[in-house]
Amino acid sequence: MAASNEWEVRYLTESGWVTGGYKLDCGDRKDDVRPEGAVLWARRHVTVGKLGAPSSMNVDEYRGNLIRDTGKINALLAKYGEPQFGV
């Protein structure tokens, strides 16, 4: 069992990065809902082992395109940059 197990999903839209959903150790949770017009999703999952040592921390990040127009995705990434996760 992990001492910490949190995740967050963000979506890139015409108006910037939007939080889709998250789960925090403090109990806060929001179901993941894709906003209209999203072109890309990014997910971060952070776990920390039972001892809480920095060496037991694991961060996994994934992303995927939601549209085929990579030119549009790249233009929005250039405009808004990488997602800023809270976990």
Side-chain angles (χ1 to χ4, degrees), residues 11-68:
Y11 292 92
L12 182 58
T13 68
E14 291 281 345
S15 59
W17 286 99
V18 176
T19 300
Y22 57 85
K23 181 189 122 353
L24 305 177
D25 288 337
C26 66
D28 289 348
R29 181 181 186 105
K30 178 182 179 232
D31 289 336
D32 184 26
V33 177
R34 182 189 328 173
E36 189 172 324
V39 300
L40 177 77
W41 62 268
R43 182 178 197 273
R44 175 181 276 182
H45 185 195
V46 179
T47 56
V48 177
K50 286 174 77 172
L51 299 177
S55 62
S56 70
M57 184 173 175
N58 187 45
V59 178
D60 292 312
E61 290 188 12
Y62 311 94
R63 64 172 54 187
N65 296 352
L66 296 170
I67 63 171
R68 291 186 179 165

